[in-house]
Amino acid sequence: MSCARDWTPPSSLHNGSARPAPELHLYNSLVDAKVPFVPAAGPGSRHVSWYTCGPTVYDSAHLGHARNYLTFDILRRVLEDHFGYDVRYVMNVTDIDDKIILRARRNHLLEAYRATATDPSQVARDARAALAAAQAKQAKKVGKAHAERKAALERSSDPCGPRGDGRVVAELDTLLAQEEHVAARLAGTLAALEALGPSADAAALLGVAGDVLAEWLDAARGGEVTDPAVFRAHAARYEAEFLADMEALGVRPPTVLTRVSEYLPEVVEFVRGIERAGFAYSTHGSVYFDTAAFRSAGHTYGKLAPWSVGSVALAGEAGADGKRHPSDFALWKARKPGEPAWPSPWGEGRPGWHIECSAMASKILGRTLDIHTGGEDLRFPHHDNELAQSEAHYHACGCRQWVNYFLHSGHLGIDGLKMSKSLKNFITIRYWRLEVGSWGEHRVIWMEATGQPAQNPGCGPSTRGTQLAAWGQEMVDPHASSREGKGFPCHKDFIWGGLGSTLAARRDAAPPRESGDGPVPLGTSVAPLPLGRPLHP
């Protein structure tokens, strides 16, 4: 497998026209380098089309999400307020998804169980059975991650092996650490359950083992949940919470906000277009993207992470009935018991994970996007699959590059792992903004750390960050500064001079550290915040 990158600079499509020197360079994940920014409409155009991956609304948003949306809000403000671009900014809300279905169903079943759980001894037996099942399942995941990492490590040591395997090993190291973290958390749950002793009441047992009990109940009775309102109410609750968080952070609202549930006809038609072009096949009521046919037609699959192509663990989509190749992925999923479903030419079902973004972005922004953004964890498979299915849909139009500039924000780290809902190591935005945070300061901190794994957040606003907080606030509050009378300070000397002086002042004010301590993470302090604590009204 070659890791050569496939990208055509938009400026090369406008040969023969008078081209002013580019004002702006962006770090483009399609080549992992800074490149001149030229709008698809031409070097003289001030119109920019921008699609950003929004939230999957199955739980409270956390500081990792805050970093993502604040980072791109800063970049958007630079393009709009400094460079004067007219940005059409589209963000989706994923309100139909495996995670939403599972979480809504499990919460529903757990609440029903809780209402009838009057015998503590029975709850204890059920909790132990649920934990045993969860630990056995997780042990298999850890074993698979170990095996794939070992295979990738052997390939990377082969001088004749494919390029890029070193990056695969690094990504599989991360995946393995995450799976081991989940296994350790389950062991901790078992220890906490045993520590309660035989006299524990049902409420205490459920407080410790509720998550594993919900998963266990779902495995046994998930197919019995048939009310669509269970899923819609769950998604609506967390969508409203997310939008309130973004408003509190001062993130500019998108020009257009889309929901998957409101674009199902467009999704179905987009899949049909891929099928008509010969890049999809249906089986057992599902539709899969045909990666082999896509490559045979001269397209490149895996533009953003070619080193990850072929990794079953990193693809995150297990084998299914009728899949022709491990790299093929679902465009439309056939209905299963306990899942919401909608009509389609292939039978009732729902969209696959990736197709929604291609369908909605194309409906609003057209066949070519200037900028697409999202978290680094979405690079593969989500964004690579978006690119493939979109090029396939527009194959007859000669499309070889659906997105010209792909930008990714880094993770927010917690003890060596990314902050994640699934790992339950997160701090919610709501907790931080209500109890702790200074978002003006964090705008500048994350601006400095663009493209790097972010630091562990601390427990409170630092006194040495006052200047940063005030300066960051000037980005979003037109009344916070008299400069230019605008929300974002427009002079480059002010931007870079202010950033440099405030960061220097912040570093100068840092307490002395021992020689072996390493760099000071900005905005941190010693005591940790409680992790994984959603805060509901």
Side-chain angles (χ1 to χ4, degrees), residues 448 452-456 464 507 510-525:
E448 186 195 41
Q452 303 171 9
Q455 54 275 23
N456 292 310
R464 64 184 187 270
R507 289 184 178 121
R513 291 170 61 83
E514 299 298 326
S515 59
D517 285 349
V520 179
L522 296 179
T524 65
S525 53

Side-chain angles (χ1 to χ4, degrees), residues 113-280:
Y113 180 91
R114 192 189 306 273
T116 59
T118 57
D119 180 2
S121 62
Q122 183 61 52
V123 174
R125 286 192 294 272
D126 290 345
R128 290 188 179 90
L131 265 169
Q135 288 184 302
K137 180 179 178 181
Q138 190 59 31
K140 290 181 180 179
K141 289 184 177 182
V142 171
K144 288 180 179 179
H146 266 296
E148 185 154 353
R149 181 192 176 279
K150 180 180 178 182
L153 195 61
E154 291 171 351
R155 290 194 301 270
S156 68
S157 63
D158 179 0
C160 299
R163 288 167 44 196
D165 272 337
R167 295 187 70 161
V168 175
V169 171
E171 292 180 6
L172 288 169
D173 281 341
T174 299
L175 177 65
L176 178 58
Q178 292 171 351
E179 299 293 4
E180 289 176 336
H181 172 84
V182 174
R185 181 165 49 79
L186 289 171
T189 300
L190 178 59
L193 187 65
E194 297 298 336
L196 289 177
S199 61
D201 60 19
L205 292 164
L206 287 167
V208 168
D211 286 348
V212 291
L213 269 169
E215 184 177 354
W216 182 69
L217 291 166
D218 186 63
R221 298 174 51 196
E224 300 173 13
V225 181
T226 58
D227 184 0
V230 170
F231 308 104
R232 182 64 208 138
H234 186 92
R237 170 189 178 181
Y238 288 110
E239 178 189 331
E241 185 179 300
F242 171 82
L243 295 176
D245 286 340
M246 294 301 104
E247 183 178 5
L249 299 183
V251 173
R252 280 183 180 168
T255 314
V256 181
L257 181 71
T258 64
R259 297 177 185 85
V260 186
S261 59
E262 296 172 355
Y263 279 79
L264 288 165
E266 288 81 0
V267 168
V268 168
E269 186 54 38
F270 205 88
V271 175
R272 291 185 68 190
I274 298 171
E275 192 176 43
R276 287 193 295 267
F279 300 114

Side-chain angles (χ1 to χ4, degrees), residues 278-349:
F279 300 114
Y281 56 91
S282 59
T283 175
H284 304 292
S286 295
V287 183
Y288 292 95
F289 186 82
D290 191 336
T291 53
F294 184 68
R295 289 192 183 103
S296 296
H299 291 275
T300 300
Y301 176 64
K303 288 184 174 182
L304 289 163
W307 48 86
S308 296
V309 174
S311 169
V312 176
L314 295 177
E317 190 167 309
D321 290 344
K323 271 182 67 168
R324 296 176 183 172
H325 189 277
S327 293
D328 294 353
F329 55 90
L331 301 173
W332 184 263
K333 295 184 175 183
R335 181 172 197 167
K336 294 180 181 178
E339 295 185 354
W342 292 265
S344 82
W346 314 282
E348 287 196 332

Side-chain angles (χ1 to χ4, degrees), residues 325-492:
H325 189 277
S327 293
D328 294 353
F329 55 90
L331 301 173
W332 184 263
K333 295 184 175 183
R335 181 172 197 167
K336 294 180 181 178
E339 295 185 354
W342 292 265
S344 82
W346 314 282
E348 287 196 332
R350 58 186 175 89
W353 175 23
H354 319 289
I355 195 66
E356 64 182 77
C357 293
S358 294
M360 293 188 294
S362 296
K363 176 67 176 179
I364 297 166
L365 299 175
R367 294 203 305 259
T368 303
L369 278 59
D370 286 308
I371 299 173
H372 192 324
T373 52
E376 175 68 19
D377 54 323
L378 298 180
R379 180 192 281 245
F380 183 86
H382 182 53
H383 288 157
D384 265 327
N385 288 352
E386 272 190 66
L387 291 173
Q389 64 199 9
S390 300
E391 289 182 17
H393 181 83
Y394 293 117
H395 173 76
C397 304
C399 179
R400 290 294 186 272
Q401 187 163 289
W402 182 58
V403 173
N404 287 336
Y405 300 87
F406 234 121
L407 281 61
H408 290 97
S409 64
H411 301 145
L412 195 63
I414 291 286
D415 297 329
L417 296 172
K418 74 168 184 174
M419 187 177 288
S420 168
K421 296 176 187 177
S422 60
L423 296 177
K424 300 185 185 300
N425 64 347
F426 62 92
I427 304 164
T428 66
I429 295 174
R430 303 193 77 201
Y431 177 88
W432 188 275
R433 67 180 173 87
L434 292 174
E435 303 291 337
V436 180
S438 164
W439 293 110
E441 181 179 352
H442 280 76
R443 282 180 172 270
V444 183
I445 292 168
W446 289 335
M447 188 174 173
E448 186 195 41
T450 297
Q452 303 171 9
Q455 54 275 23
N456 292 310
C459 71
S462 58
T463 56
R464 64 184 187 270
T466 303
Q467 285 179 289
L468 282 177
W471 188 79
Q473 184 63 22
E474 290 176 6
M475 291 183 176
V476 298
D477 184 357
H479 304 295
S481 172
S482 59
R483 288 185 179 89
E484 300 293 319
K486 298 181 70 173
F488 187 89
C490 291
H491 294 306
K492 280 188 284 189

